[in-house]
Amino acid sequence: MAGIYIHIPFCRRICAYCDFYRIDDLSDKPQFIDSLMVELNNRKNYLAGEQIETIYFGGGTPSILTKAQLNKILAEIYRLFPVKPDAEITLEANPDDLKANYIKNLAETKINRLSIGIQSFIDQDLAKMGRRHNSKQAVISVKNAYQAGFKNIGIDLIYGLPGLSAGSWQNNLEQAFSLPVNHVSSYHLTYHKGTAFYGLREKGLLKEIPEGESIKQFEMLIDYAQQKGFIQYEISNFALERCFSKHNSAYWFGEKYLGVGPSAHSYDQQSRQWNTANVHNYIKTINSGIDYFEKEILSENDQYNDFILTNLRTMWGISKKEIKKKFGEDKYKHFTKNIGKYIQSGHVKEGAESFTLSTQGLFISDEIMASLMIVSG
Ligand SMILES: C[S@@+](CC[C@H](N)C(=O)[O-])C[C@H]1O[C@@H](n2cnc3c(N)ncnc32)[C@H](O)[C@@H]1O
Ligand code: SF4
């Protein structure tokens, strides 16, 4: 089983917190789609022998594409790759794009899952973040998508925003979980260098919320999702039973994936490669046969580190049998030696077959993972 990721870099406006590769000059869109076609053809053997179980349009803003453009990309993927009949095909969409007519068009494509970037239901916060939608549009977009036949809808929320009170976060949670969605991804705001929020914080014009508040908001998220019957199957991802995102799960389980488009990453279990994060270079190099990506062959230590990073963040955790089978007794010894103190402190639970993070462990997952890594000398 394998997945295909397509990076659509265009956005109508750049949000104040975002450091994904994205541009707000849409003029290269037609040449970009032609170049995607070339890349798909060039790389049709990257996943040789694998069935395609998931296709994911991420961005940037994939909902900037027309039905015809989406169909063109999908038709090429279906022509070049063996896509399973029940493949999960997700489109990341911005609420302001999800007008009734566009949703109707989407429902006529093979796309069967939407991941809608709501981020907040508070108009003031949406404006601060530079979003183009308001709370009302967010609610309507989800309801319309559901009514048009999309029964598989996920939404994204950001917490830990400057000035976000516990009461406002509770209100966001109540609104989010009252919608017809089966998946919620929620991340704490990260201040990435180069973003507007980062600059404002540096100038003292924007204040980070205290750490205690951040932890409280994460706890509220975990508790509320649980009350609503959502399972926290990864640190920041919650879903109803059998509605886990197959695409994201495949990343965490170390399945192979092909990423096309500028900045997209690919992984074939032996190496990782990443495309140039510049749409002009992408278009230019892809058509002239020059390499448009960098590649890294993964050492055994890299593979072990990846295994820890991806597995420990899930509710299934690290399987004792698998880690021994994949990496041998020596690495297993390194692992058990370093995880011991977190078991004693209650941050990690040891079961008969696996190690998983406890609720307390979720709050210091970065520290735990870092302590289990093997740093190559
Ligand atoms: C590629 S982004 C956005 C997709 C879509 N264009 C949108 O804006 O909704 C995917 C998700 O990452 C999250 N995200 C992006 N930047 C973030 C940041 N700095 N801190 C926390 N979450 C972030 C947001 O929840 C966002 O919906
Ligand atoms: S958050 Fe989404 S819409 Fe905003 S700049 Fe990033 S990719 Fe574009």
Side-chain angles (χ1 to χ4, degrees), residues 5 7-8 10-11 13 15-22 56-63 92-97 115-119 131 133 155-159 161 185-192 195 197:
Y5 174 83
H7 191 78
I8 310 297
F10 304 104
C11 293
R13 190 198 286 168
C15 303
Y17 54 84
C18 178
D19 90 328
F20 283 80
Y21 175 61
R22 73 282 178 273
Y56 194 101
F57 288 92
T61 308
S63 53
E92 273 182 2
N94 287 29
D96 45 296
D97 289 328
S115 172
I116 306 178
I118 288 183
Q119 320 310 352
R131 302 295 289 175
H133 66 273
I155 55 175
D156 287 358
L157 291 178
I158 298 182
Y159 63 98
L161 286 167
S185 301
S186 188
Y187 297 92
H188 189 284
L189 174 69
T190 309
Y191 290 83
H192 296 286
T195 61
F197 269 1

Side-chain angles (χ1 to χ4, degrees), residues 6-10 26-43 57 65-66 68-74 76-77 79-80 260-262 279-288 292:
I6 308 116
H7 191 78
I8 310 297
F10 304 104
L26 312 185
S27 54
D28 280 331
K29 201 158 65 129
Q31 294 93 308
F32 158 75
I33 291 177
D34 291 344
S35 302
L36 264 188
M37 298 294 139
V38 176
E39 186 178 15
L40 284 167
N41 277 274
N42 286 350
R43 302 185 66 193
F57 288 92
L65 298 185
T66 62
Q69 289 168 330
L70 290 166
N71 275 339
K72 185 173 172 180
I73 300 167
L74 284 170
E76 198 61 353
I77 292 176
R79 191 177 75 78
L80 296 167
V260 292
V279 76
H280 307 292
N281 284 345
Y282 176 75
I283 293 169
K284 203 165 73 190
T285 48
I286 214 151
N287 290 306
S288 55
Y292 53 91

Side-chain angles (χ1 to χ4, degrees), residues 251-256 267-272 295-312 318 322-328 331 334-335 369 372-376:
Y251 287 146
W252 301 318
F253 292 145
E255 308 288 352
K256 297 179 184 180
Y267 172 69
D268 66 1
Q269 295 173 342
Q270 304 300 322
S271 68
R272 221 170 253 302
K295 184 170 174 170
E296 180 190 21
I297 306 288
L298 299 171
S299 67
E300 201 184 290
N301 283 352
D302 293 335
Q303 294 188 29
Y304 162 86
N305 289 341
D306 278 356
F307 179 84
I308 302 291
L309 278 177
T310 48
N311 285 254
L312 196 58
I318 293 180
E322 214 181 332
I323 188 171
K324 274 191 228 166
K325 189 170 143 220
K326 280 196 154 118
F327 304 106
K331 286 212 169 46
H334 165 90
F335 174 81
M369 288 175 199
L372 299 170
M373 304 279 104
I374 297 178
V375 185
S376 302

